[in-house]
Amino acid sequence: MPLEAPLAPPVERAAELNRRFAHHAATEVLAHALHDPEMGNAALVSSFGAEAVVLLHMASVIDRTTPVLFVDTEMLFPETLEYQREVARHLRLTDVRVIRPDREAVFRNDPGSNLHRRDPDACCQLRKTAPLDGALAGFDAWVTGRKRYHGGRRAALDLFEADGGTWIKVNPLAHWSTSDVQDYIGNNRLPRHPLVARGYPSLGCLPCTTRVAPGEDLRAGRWRGRDKDECGIHFVEGRMVRKAPGRKPA
């Protein structure tokens, strides 16, 4: 939705939106993010991972022309790439944008595709954070599928966040439980990621994702054995803010 007037700073807008939508359903939060002029231009960023189909289905019902940004790090599971194509077809999404890392940057910094072993943070920056920054240029808001029950730094997640001085980040499913997610997938007969049944309840890149044993945390298989639990697209220097190149946080 194009802007009709200048937007207030993200911090002010996020606080007001959280007050206004505190007791609203996820579909109402998403519809507002996608259609209300005060949100500006919004995109849905999706990993097409274990739980992603819920938000993608909601978006397809509200507006299947919603821009969907999918970052292909070129190190994903083959099953994720096939699932991305399957879900896009199933939901008839018309504007899925596959974002890949800059080839010259990869050649300079990770010619052997082993940067993840030496410096996983640098690998995430190269293959995910930087490409997403470029893809988000021109958008005022972006929608994520993060939820509080993921734990860690997501445990106090709000529906709306000020993402640096640039974007509003919207988390329509922040308050959902794991049973809410599974019920929605089952009730709407949505295709499930094939790796979930094989012990992968949270999916990232193939080299940095392992199976999760019964009783383990949902995201225990992500960067196992390392002091890392986020890819970086939601954090700058360990804080839940981001900024676009050349812009200062509010």
Side-chain angles (χ1 to χ4, degrees), residues 136-171:
L136 285 172
F139 290 104
D140 304 288
W142 60 293
V143 181
T144 90
R146 294 179 304 155
K147 307 161 192 73
R148 289 185 173 186
Y149 73 77
H150 289 165
R153 286 171 284 190
R154 301 184 180 194
L157 200 63
D158 284 325
L159 293 171
F160 297 88
E161 300 174 273
D163 198 2
T166 306
W167 300 285
I168 289 286
K169 188 158 52 180
V170 188
N171 310 300

mmCIF file of all heavy atoms in Angstrom, residues 136-171:
data_model
loop_
_atom_site.group_PDB
_atom_site.id
_atom_site.type_symbol
_atom_site.label_atom_id
_atom_site.label_comp_id
_atom_site.label_asym_id
_atom_site.label_seq_id
_atom_site.Cartn_x
_atom_site.Cartn_y
_atom_site.Cartn_z
ATOM 1 N N LEU A 136 15.002 -5.495 1.095
ATOM 2 C CA LEU A 136 14.042 -4.694 1.858
ATOM 3 C C LEU A 136 14.061 -3.213 1.479
ATOM 4 O O LEU A 136 13.209 -2.456 1.935
ATOM 5 C CB LEU A 136 14.305 -4.831 3.359
ATOM 6 C CG LEU A 136 13.856 -6.151 3.997
ATOM 7 C CD1 LEU A 136 14.364 -6.243 5.439
ATOM 8 C CD2 LEU A 136 12.344 -6.287 3.962
ATOM 9 N N ALA A 137 15.025 -2.814 0.686
ATOM 10 C CA ALA A 137 15.062 -1.418 0.235
ATOM 11 C C ALA A 137 13.761 -1.100 -0.504
ATOM 12 O O ALA A 137 13.314 -1.854 -1.361
ATOM 13 C CB ALA A 137 16.265 -1.189 -0.673
ATOM 14 N N GLY A 138 13.147 0.004 -0.142
ATOM 15 C CA GLY A 138 11.876 0.378 -0.754
ATOM 16 C C GLY A 138 10.661 -0.072 0.035
ATOM 17 O O GLY A 138 9.534 0.327 -0.276
ATOM 18 N N PHE A 139 10.879 -0.904 1.046
ATOM 19 C CA PHE A 139 9.780 -1.308 1.925
ATOM 20 C C PHE A 139 9.858 -0.538 3.239
ATOM 21 O O PHE A 139 10.935 -0.160 3.692
ATOM 22 C CB PHE A 139 9.834 -2.812 2.208
ATOM 23 C CG PHE A 139 9.484 -3.668 1.022
ATOM 24 C CD1 PHE A 139 10.475 -4.317 0.307
ATOM 25 C CD2 PHE A 139 8.166 -3.798 0.617
ATOM 26 C CE1 PHE A 139 10.163 -5.096 -0.790
ATOM 27 C CE2 PHE A 139 7.834 -4.578 -0.490
ATOM 28 C CZ PHE A 139 8.845 -5.228 -1.198
ATOM 29 N N ASP A 140 8.694 -0.323 3.844
ATOM 30 C CA ASP A 140 8.612 0.379 5.125
ATOM 31 C C ASP A 140 8.376 -0.570 6.286
ATOM 32 O O ASP A 140 8.614 -0.212 7.441
ATOM 33 C CB ASP A 140 7.467 1.410 5.085
ATOM 34 C CG ASP A 140 7.620 2.382 3.933
ATOM 35 O OD1 ASP A 140 8.520 3.239 4.005
ATOM 36 O OD2 ASP A 140 6.858 2.262 2.949
ATOM 37 N N ALA A 141 7.907 -1.768 5.977
ATOM 38 C CA ALA A 141 7.600 -2.749 7.022
ATOM 39 C C ALA A 141 7.848 -4.147 6.473
ATOM 40 O O ALA A 141 7.757 -4.380 5.265
ATOM 41 C CB ALA A 141 6.146 -2.622 7.469
ATOM 42 N N TRP A 142 8.175 -5.068 7.388
ATOM 43 C CA TRP A 142 8.280 -6.462 6.969
ATOM 44 C C TRP A 142 7.711 -7.367 8.033
ATOM 45 O O TRP A 142 7.752 -7.075 9.215
ATOM 46 C CB TRP A 142 9.697 -6.835 6.565
ATOM 47 C CG TRP A 142 10.815 -6.709 7.559
ATOM 48 C CD1 TRP A 142 11.303 -5.561 8.090
ATOM 49 C CD2 TRP A 142 11.627 -7.767 8.091
ATOM 50 N NE1 TRP A 142 12.370 -5.835 8.919
ATOM 51 C CE2 TRP A 142 12.599 -7.168 8.937
ATOM 52 C CE3 TRP A 142 11.632 -9.145 7.926
ATOM 53 C CZ2 TRP A 142 13.543 -7.918 9.629
ATOM 54 C CZ3 TRP A 142 12.594 -9.888 8.607
ATOM 55 C CH2 TRP A 142 13.539 -9.266 9.438
ATOM 56 N N VAL A 143 7.139 -8.477 7.566
ATOM 57 C CA VAL A 143 6.404 -9.402 8.420
ATOM 58 C C VAL A 143 7.239 -10.658 8.628
ATOM 59 O O VAL A 143 7.820 -11.192 7.674
ATOM 60 C CB VAL A 143 5.058 -9.779 7.772
ATOM 61 C CG1 VAL A 143 4.273 -10.722 8.669
ATOM 62 C CG2 VAL A 143 4.243 -8.519 7.465
ATOM 63 N N THR A 144 7.309 -11.144 9.864
ATOM 64 C CA THR A 144 8.047 -12.359 10.179
ATOM 65 C C THR A 144 7.129 -13.370 10.861
ATOM 66 O O THR A 144 6.062 -13.018 11.368
ATOM 67 C CB THR A 144 9.248 -12.089 11.115
ATOM 68 O OG1 THR A 144 8.838 -12.209 12.488
ATOM 69 C CG2 THR A 144 9.834 -10.703 10.895
ATOM 70 N N GLY A 145 7.573 -14.619 10.924
ATOM 71 C CA GLY A 145 6.806 -15.671 11.571
ATOM 72 C C GLY A 145 7.322 -16.037 12.950
ATOM 73 O O GLY A 145 6.975 -17.097 13.479
ATOM 74 N N ARG A 146 8.124 -15.173 13.562
ATOM 75 C CA ARG A 146 8.681 -15.488 14.885
ATOM 76 C C ARG A 146 7.585 -15.557 15.952
ATOM 77 O O ARG A 146 6.568 -14.900 15.853
ATOM 78 C CB ARG A 146 9.722 -14.432 15.288
ATOM 79 C CG ARG A 146 10.961 -14.455 14.406
ATOM 80 C CD ARG A 146 11.951 -13.379 14.832
ATOM 81 N NE ARG A 146 11.322 -12.071 14.817
ATOM 82 C CZ ARG A 146 11.724 -11.043 15.558
ATOM 83 N NH1 ARG A 146 12.738 -11.176 16.381
ATOM 84 N NH2 ARG A 146 11.114 -9.882 15.463
ATOM 85 N N LYS A 147 7.867 -16.380 16.974
ATOM 86 C CA LYS A 147 6.892 -16.605 18.041
ATOM 87 C C LYS A 147 7.603 -16.629 19.388
ATOM 88 O O LYS A 147 8.780 -17.015 19.469
ATOM 89 C CB LYS A 147 6.157 -17.925 17.818
ATOM 90 C CG LYS A 147 5.537 -18.026 16.428
ATOM 91 C CD LYS A 147 5.230 -19.447 16.058
ATOM 92 C CE LYS A 147 4.902 -19.552 14.579
ATOM 93 N NZ LYS A 147 6.115 -19.409 13.714
ATOM 94 N N ARG A 148 6.879 -16.289 20.446
ATOM 95 C CA ARG A 148 7.474 -16.263 21.777
ATOM 96 C C ARG A 148 7.921 -17.645 22.235
ATOM 97 O O ARG A 148 8.913 -17.783 22.941
ATOM 98 C CB ARG A 148 6.487 -15.665 22.790
ATOM 99 C CG ARG A 148 6.267 -14.167 22.623
ATOM 100 C CD ARG A 148 5.378 -13.613 23.721
ATOM 101 N NE ARG A 148 5.307 -12.156 23.651
ATOM 102 C CZ ARG A 148 4.685 -11.400 24.552
ATOM 103 N NH1 ARG A 148 4.049 -11.976 25.568
ATOM 104 N NH2 ARG A 148 4.683 -10.087 24.425
ATOM 105 N N TYR A 149 7.193 -18.689 21.850
ATOM 106 C CA TYR A 149 7.540 -20.010 22.356
ATOM 107 C C TYR A 149 8.841 -20.545 21.772
ATOM 108 O O TYR A 149 9.345 -21.577 22.213
ATOM 109 C CB TYR A 149 6.397 -21.006 22.174
ATOM 110 C CG TYR A 149 6.137 -21.489 20.769
ATOM 111 C CD1 TYR A 149 6.951 -22.455 20.169
ATOM 112 C CD2 TYR A 149 5.036 -21.039 20.049
ATOM 113 C CE1 TYR A 149 6.690 -22.924 18.890
ATOM 114 C CE2 TYR A 149 4.770 -21.511 18.786
ATOM 115 C CZ TYR A 149 5.598 -22.452 18.205
ATOM 116 O OH TYR A 149 5.332 -22.911 16.947
ATOM 117 N N HIS A 150 9.409 -19.842 20.796
ATOM 118 C CA HIS A 150 10.738 -20.225 20.309
ATOM 119 C C HIS A 150 11.792 -20.039 21.396
ATOM 120 O O HIS A 150 12.877 -20.602 21.323
ATOM 121 C CB HIS A 150 11.117 -19.388 19.089
ATOM 122 C CG HIS A 150 10.343 -19.742 17.868
ATOM 123 N ND1 HIS A 150 10.307 -18.932 16.752
ATOM 124 C CD2 HIS A 150 9.564 -20.820 17.564
ATOM 125 C CE1 HIS A 150 9.544 -19.487 15.824
ATOM 126 N NE2 HIS A 150 9.079 -20.626 16.300
ATOM 127 N N GLY A 151 11.473 -19.206 22.393
ATOM 128 C CA GLY A 151 12.373 -19.021 23.529
ATOM 129 C C GLY A 151 13.538 -18.099 23.221
ATOM 130 O O GLY A 151 13.555 -17.386 22.216
ATOM 131 N N GLY A 152 14.523 -18.106 24.135
ATOM 132 C CA GLY A 152 15.680 -17.238 23.972
ATOM 133 C C GLY A 152 15.275 -15.784 23.925
ATOM 134 O O GLY A 152 14.423 -15.329 24.698
ATOM 135 N N ARG A 153 15.859 -15.056 22.985
ATOM 136 C CA ARG A 153 15.571 -13.639 22.864
ATOM 137 C C ARG A 153 14.221 -13.355 22.218
ATOM 138 O O ARG A 153 13.833 -12.199 22.059
ATOM 139 C CB ARG A 153 16.712 -12.971 22.083
ATOM 140 C CG ARG A 153 17.975 -12.822 22.912
ATOM 141 C CD ARG A 153 19.162 -12.363 22.103
ATOM 142 N NE ARG A 153 19.713 -13.444 21.286
ATOM 143 C CZ ARG A 153 20.870 -13.345 20.633
ATOM 144 N NH1 ARG A 153 21.576 -12.234 20.700
ATOM 145 N NH2 ARG A 153 21.313 -14.354 19.928
ATOM 146 N N ARG A 154 13.481 -14.414 21.870
ATOM 147 C CA ARG A 154 12.156 -14.229 21.296
ATOM 148 C C ARG A 154 11.055 -14.311 22.353
ATOM 149 O O ARG A 154 9.888 -14.099 22.041
ATOM 150 C CB ARG A 154 11.910 -15.291 20.218
ATOM 151 C CG ARG A 154 12.934 -15.251 19.102
ATOM 152 C CD ARG A 154 12.621 -16.240 18.008
ATOM 153 N NE ARG A 154 13.616 -16.177 16.939
ATOM 154 C CZ ARG A 154 13.483 -16.726 15.747
ATOM 155 N NH1 ARG A 154 12.386 -17.407 15.459
ATOM 156 N NH2 ARG A 154 14.442 -16.615 14.844
ATOM 157 N N ALA A 155 11.411 -14.631 23.584
ATOM 158 C CA ALA A 155 10.413 -14.922 24.620
ATOM 159 C C ALA A 155 9.538 -13.723 24.966
ATOM 160 O O ALA A 155 8.423 -13.895 25.460
ATOM 161 C CB ALA A 155 11.100 -15.445 25.877
ATOM 162 N N ALA A 156 10.015 -12.510 24.740
ATOM 163 C CA ALA A 156 9.242 -11.309 25.056
ATOM 164 C C ALA A 156 8.826 -10.553 23.791
ATOM 165 O O ALA A 156 8.589 -9.341 23.817
ATOM 166 C CB ALA A 156 10.054 -10.387 25.968
ATOM 167 N N LEU A 157 8.702 -11.263 22.707
ATOM 168 C CA LEU A 157 8.423 -10.667 21.409
ATOM 169 C C LEU A 157 7.104 -9.897 21.397
ATOM 170 O O LEU A 157 6.095 -10.362 21.917
ATOM 171 C CB LEU A 157 8.369 -11.792 20.381
ATOM 172 C CG LEU A 157 8.553 -11.458 18.905
ATOM 173 C CD1 LEU A 157 9.923 -10.882 18.649
ATOM 174 C CD2 LEU A 157 8.366 -12.749 18.088
ATOM 175 N N ASP A 158 7.116 -8.707 20.794
ATOM 176 C CA ASP A 158 5.901 -7.919 20.598
ATOM 177 C C ASP A 158 5.335 -8.163 19.205
ATOM 178 O O ASP A 158 6.041 -8.640 18.303
ATOM 179 C CB ASP A 158 6.195 -6.429 20.752
ATOM 180 C CG ASP A 158 6.360 -6.015 22.207
ATOM 181 O OD1 ASP A 158 5.659 -6.592 23.060
ATOM 182 O OD2 ASP A 158 7.186 -5.122 22.475
ATOM 183 N N LEU A 159 4.081 -7.782 19.017
ATOM 184 C CA LEU A 159 3.475 -7.888 17.694
ATOM 185 C C LEU A 159 4.137 -6.939 16.703
ATOM 186 O O LEU A 159 4.290 -7.262 15.525
ATOM 187 C CB LEU A 159 1.979 -7.582 17.778
ATOM 188 C CG LEU A 159 1.121 -8.588 18.537
ATOM 189 C CD1 LEU A 159 -0.287 -8.050 18.715
ATOM 190 C CD2 LEU A 159 1.093 -9.933 17.819
ATOM 191 N N PHE A 160 4.513 -5.765 17.185
ATOM 192 C CA PHE A 160 5.153 -4.757 16.334
ATOM 193 C C PHE A 160 6.461 -4.328 16.990
ATOM 194 O O PHE A 160 6.521 -4.126 18.206
ATOM 195 C CB PHE A 160 4.250 -3.534 16.154
ATOM 196 C CG PHE A 160 2.952 -3.826 15.453
ATOM 197 C CD1 PHE A 160 1.832 -4.237 16.178
ATOM 198 C CD2 PHE A 160 2.836 -3.709 14.072
ATOM 199 C CE1 PHE A 160 0.634 -4.514 15.549
ATOM 200 C CE2 PHE A 160 1.628 -3.975 13.441
ATOM 201 C CZ PHE A 160 0.524 -4.382 14.174
ATOM 202 N N GLU A 161 7.503 -4.172 16.182
ATOM 203 C CA GLU A 161 8.806 -3.734 16.668
ATOM 204 C C GLU A 161 9.339 -2.614 15.790
ATOM 205 O O GLU A 161 9.102 -2.592 14.573
ATOM 206 C CB GLU A 161 9.817 -4.878 16.622
ATOM 207 C CG GLU A 161 9.483 -6.094 17.450
ATOM 208 C CD GLU A 161 10.492 -7.186 17.198
ATOM 209 O OE1 GLU A 161 10.300 -7.976 16.251
ATOM 210 O OE2 GLU A 161 11.499 -7.236 17.939
ATOM 211 N N ALA A 162 10.086 -1.725 16.399
ATOM 212 C CA ALA A 162 10.839 -0.730 15.637
ATOM 213 C C ALA A 162 12.134 -1.393 15.205
ATOM 214 O O ALA A 162 12.941 -1.796 16.042
ATOM 215 C CB ALA A 162 11.122 0.498 16.490
ATOM 216 N N ASP A 163 12.322 -1.545 13.918
ATOM 217 C CA ASP A 163 13.503 -2.220 13.387
ATOM 218 C C ASP A 163 14.517 -1.167 12.975
ATOM 219 O O ASP A 163 14.590 -0.747 11.828
ATOM 220 C CB ASP A 163 13.102 -3.080 12.196
ATOM 221 C CG ASP A 163 14.155 -4.121 11.859
ATOM 222 O OD1 ASP A 163 15.156 -4.194 12.577
ATOM 223 O OD2 ASP A 163 13.966 -4.855 10.878
ATOM 224 N N GLY A 164 15.324 -0.699 13.960
ATOM 225 C CA GLY A 164 16.246 0.391 13.697
ATOM 226 C C GLY A 164 15.478 1.664 13.399
ATOM 227 O O GLY A 164 14.363 1.867 13.871
ATOM 228 N N GLY A 165 16.047 2.534 12.589
ATOM 229 C CA GLY A 165 15.376 3.776 12.223
ATOM 230 C C GLY A 165 14.705 3.681 10.882
ATOM 231 O O GLY A 165 14.326 4.700 10.294
ATOM 232 N N THR A 166 14.512 2.467 10.393
ATOM 233 C CA THR A 166 14.081 2.281 9.017
ATOM 234 C C THR A 166 12.737 1.602 8.878
ATOM 235 O O THR A 166 11.842 2.098 8.198
ATOM 236 C CB THR A 166 15.135 1.451 8.252
ATOM 237 O OG1 THR A 166 16.408 2.074 8.399
ATOM 238 C CG2 THR A 166 14.782 1.361 6.774
ATOM 239 N N TRP A 167 12.559 0.450 9.503
ATOM 240 C CA TRP A 167 11.392 -0.377 9.265
ATOM 241 C C TRP A 167 10.559 -0.593 10.527
ATOM 242 O O TRP A 167 11.054 -0.473 11.643
ATOM 243 C CB TRP A 167 11.807 -1.761 8.750
ATOM 244 C CG TRP A 167 12.562 -1.766 7.472
ATOM 245 C CD1 TRP A 167 12.067 -1.562 6.218
ATOM 246 C CD2 TRP A 167 13.969 -2.014 7.302
ATOM 247 N NE1 TRP A 167 13.071 -1.662 5.281
ATOM 248 C CE2 TRP A 167 14.250 -1.928 5.925
ATOM 249 C CE3 TRP A 167 15.014 -2.291 8.189
ATOM 250 C CZ2 TRP A 167 15.527 -2.124 5.409
ATOM 251 C CZ3 TRP A 167 16.292 -2.477 7.680
ATOM 252 C CH2 TRP A 167 16.527 -2.391 6.306
ATOM 253 N N ILE A 168 9.308 -0.972 10.309
ATOM 254 C CA ILE A 168 8.486 -1.599 11.343
ATOM 255 C C ILE A 168 8.495 -3.092 11.041
ATOM 256 O O ILE A 168 8.280 -3.511 9.902
ATOM 257 C CB ILE A 168 7.035 -1.084 11.311
ATOM 258 C CG1 ILE A 168 6.964 0.350 11.813
ATOM 259 C CG2 ILE A 168 6.127 -1.983 12.147
ATOM 260 C CD1 ILE A 168 7.138 0.495 13.313
ATOM 261 N N LYS A 169 8.763 -3.890 12.055
ATOM 262 C CA LYS A 169 8.740 -5.341 11.891
ATOM 263 C C LYS A 169 7.490 -5.871 12.580
ATOM 264 O O LYS A 169 7.195 -5.503 13.720
ATOM 265 C CB LYS A 169 10.004 -5.954 12.488
ATOM 266 C CG LYS A 169 10.155 -7.436 12.203
ATOM 267 C CD LYS A 169 11.603 -7.897 12.321
ATOM 268 C CE LYS A 169 12.245 -7.498 13.617
ATOM 269 N NZ LYS A 169 13.635 -7.943 13.698
ATOM 270 N N VAL A 170 6.761 -6.736 11.894
ATOM 271 C CA VAL A 170 5.470 -7.214 12.376
ATOM 272 C C VAL A 170 5.552 -8.722 12.614
ATOM 273 O O VAL A 170 6.008 -9.469 11.740
ATOM 274 C CB VAL A 170 4.359 -6.902 11.352
ATOM 275 C CG1 VAL A 170 2.986 -7.224 11.938
ATOM 276 C CG2 VAL A 170 4.433 -5.442 10.905
ATOM 277 N N ASN A 171 5.118 -9.148 13.796
ATOM 278 C CA ASN A 171 5.159 -10.559 14.184
ATOM 279 C C ASN A 171 3.745 -11.028 14.534
ATOM 280 O O ASN A 171 3.399 -11.165 15.711
ATOM 281 C CB ASN A 171 6.082 -10.736 15.395
ATOM 282 C CG ASN A 171 7.434 -10.083 15.194
ATOM 283 O OD1 ASN A 171 8.167 -10.430 14.282
ATOM 284 N ND2 ASN A 171 7.764 -9.116 16.052
#
